[in-house]
Amino acid sequence: MLLSLSLILLVGMFLGWLFKQIKLPSLIGMMLTGIILGPSVLNLIDNSILDISSELRRIALIIILTRAGLTLKWSDLKKVGRPAILMCFVPAVFEMIGILILAPLLLNVSIIEALIIGAVVAAVSPAVIVPKMIKLIEDGYGKDKSIPQLILAGASVDDVFVIVLFTAFLGLEQGDKISVISFINIPISIILGVLIGLLIGFLLSKFFTKCHMRDTVKVIIILCISFVLSTIENELTIPITFSALIAIMFMGITMQKNNKEISERLSSKFNKLWVGAEIMLFVLVGATIDLQFVSKTALPAILLIFGSLCFRMLGVYISLIRTKLTIKERLFCMFSYIPKATVQAAIGGIPLSLGLSCGNTVLTVAAIAIIITAPLGAFLIDITHKKLLKR
């Protein structure tokens, strides 16, 4: 196990750095590491790590959502207003509709399986978008209309919205009864998650202000609370639940609002944690990919991804109707909502780990979506922001 961990981290860091040198996202190199070290090629990753890969991916998702929450500001959320709220769910819903139409035709899957694929693919990637939008904010691009803040806010909540839907659709595929309560629970779980996150974030900000301790200890406390919330959500058997992931993100947003200085230091700590978590996340996704299955499914999966992106970009455009954004600025927002990586890596392997018949298909589509959209979206953001946004 220790040798496997060493190989994952060292080779993952090296290939990630190598891909970055050729102007491609480092996460592609990390996924390639998983494929090379995994069962499909060299088989050098210990089974004990693969057995807990779903838990490790969950930890990585918690870290990225906490980091996003500590980065977002209430003032920015208020400033961008209605468009930010629409960007949280409209593009994802449009993309899921596109996949619901195309997936049964291209991949020969059922309606519920198509919804699961849609929920996995429809999330935008904080791992790609967050650092790029923060850089645009620092450089002053789109600042007058808060365009980076709009994308940052929408992309962060978009992920949690999609994950909540994924959990609901997964339950239906596992045999849970389709009832009105199942769908009523989706908005309720989001609202309850927000309220729980606001309450815990407020209490933590007060506690951290009065009790002096090292920032590392604060990070451990936040992570432990996040793990407890995630466990409680999974263990609840009542019809109405709450979204732990939304609670975790709003915990960070509330701490940012109540104590900016502490939240900035904590955000820096979580950035450092993400260095290791990112490698584990994408390497383990690569390790679970079945190359033989990918070779059979690659072409229809690629067609599905590009088709669904058209639906997604239409959803972004509709979200920005009746705003002061120019055509160029709206086009930039559409490009910025292309990258996929983090959520696909975190939840793409869950159906396979649960033994669902669609597991390999979901994982393959998720992996191909990362390989295509992460570099494409990052490339488009880099080459168009100077031409499409005002500084």
Side-chain angles (χ1 to χ4, degrees), residues 30-312:
M30 295 170 193
M31 281 185 63
L32 182 60
T33 300
I35 294 171
I36 294 170
L37 298 179
S40 295
V41 184
L42 298 178
N43 196 23
L44 294 176
I45 298 179
D46 195 280
N47 287 332
S48 58
I49 295 177
L50 296 175
D51 290 342
I52 60 167
S53 62
S54 59
E55 286 80 6
L56 293 173
R57 290 196 297 267
R58 184 79 170 182
I59 291 170
L61 189 59
I62 286 171
I63 290 171
I64 190 63
L65 287 174
T66 307
R67 178 188 174 206
L70 290 167
T71 305
L72 280 171
K73 298 178 182 178
W74 275 112
S75 56
D76 291 338
L77 291 175
K78 289 179 181 177
K79 189 175 181 181
V80 292
R82 180 187 62 85
I85 295 172
L86 293 177
M87 291 278 275
C88 292
F89 65 91
V90 172
V93 168
F94 268 71
E95 187 164 13
M96 281 189 276
I97 291 170
I99 290 175
L100 185 61
I101 295 168
L102 297 173
L105 299 173
L106 294 170
L107 299 172
N108 193 27
V109 295
S110 68
I111 296 296
I112 295 297
E113 289 171 343
L115 288 171
I116 291 173
I117 295 170
V120 170
V121 173
V124 75
S125 172
V128 177
I129 287 181
V130 168
K132 290 197 175 292
M133 292 306 114
I134 290 173
K135 182 71 166 60
L136 291 183
I137 292 170
E138 291 170 351
D139 293 345
Y141 283 99
K143 187 177 179 181
D144 57 333
K145 296 180 183 177
S146 299
I147 293 170
Q149 290 89 336
L150 166 67
I151 295 166
L152 195 62
S156 299
V157 182
D158 161 283
D159 288 353
V160 189
F161 168 71
V162 167
I163 291 166
V164 171
L165 291 179
F166 170 76
T167 305
F169 297 147
L170 202 61
L172 296 177
E173 178 64 12
Q174 289 178 289
D176 292 355
K177 292 181 180 179
I178 300 175
S179 63
V180 177
I181 293 293
S182 301
F183 292 97
I184 291 177
N185 183 48
I186 293 173
I188 291 177
S189 65
I190 293 173
I191 294 168
L192 287 176
V194 171
L195 295 175
I196 291 170
L198 293 175
L199 176 62
I200 296 175
F202 174 77
L203 294 174
L204 281 177
S205 60
K206 295 296 181 185
F207 176 68
F208 291 155
T209 302
K210 291 184 178 181
C211 301
H212 297 286
M213 61 187 76
R214 295 179 63 180
D215 289 336
T216 305
V217 177
K218 294 171 186 170
V219 168
I220 292 172
I221 291 171
I222 292 170
L223 283 175
C224 289
I225 291 172
S226 300
F227 296 159
V228 169
L229 288 172
S230 182
T231 304
I232 291 173
E233 181 193 18
N234 290 335
E235 296 297 325
L236 282 176
T237 56
I238 57 176
I240 300 299
T241 57
F242 71 99
S243 170
L245 295 174
I246 284 188
I248 289 163
M249 192 178 74
F250 272 85
M251 204 164 63
I253 293 173
T254 309
M255 284 190 285
Q256 213 275 15
K257 179 180 182 294
N258 290 317
N259 199 317
K260 186 178 178 181
E261 184 183 347
I262 289 177
S263 66
E264 286 178 352
R265 296 203 308 267
L266 291 177
S267 178
S268 175
K269 291 284 185 183
F270 274 96
N271 287 344
K272 293 173 184 176
L273 269 180
W274 177 242
V275 173
E278 181 183 34
I279 297 169
M280 292 297 295
L281 175 62
F282 291 108
V283 170
L284 288 174
V285 168
T288 52
I289 293 173
D290 184 340
L291 291 181
Q292 288 185 343
F293 189 84
V294 169
S295 64
K296 298 174 185 175
T297 323
L299 182 58
I302 291 169
L303 293 174
L304 175 67
I305 289 158
F306 278 108
S308 66
L309 282 177
C310 295
F311 280 85
R312 183 175 192 83

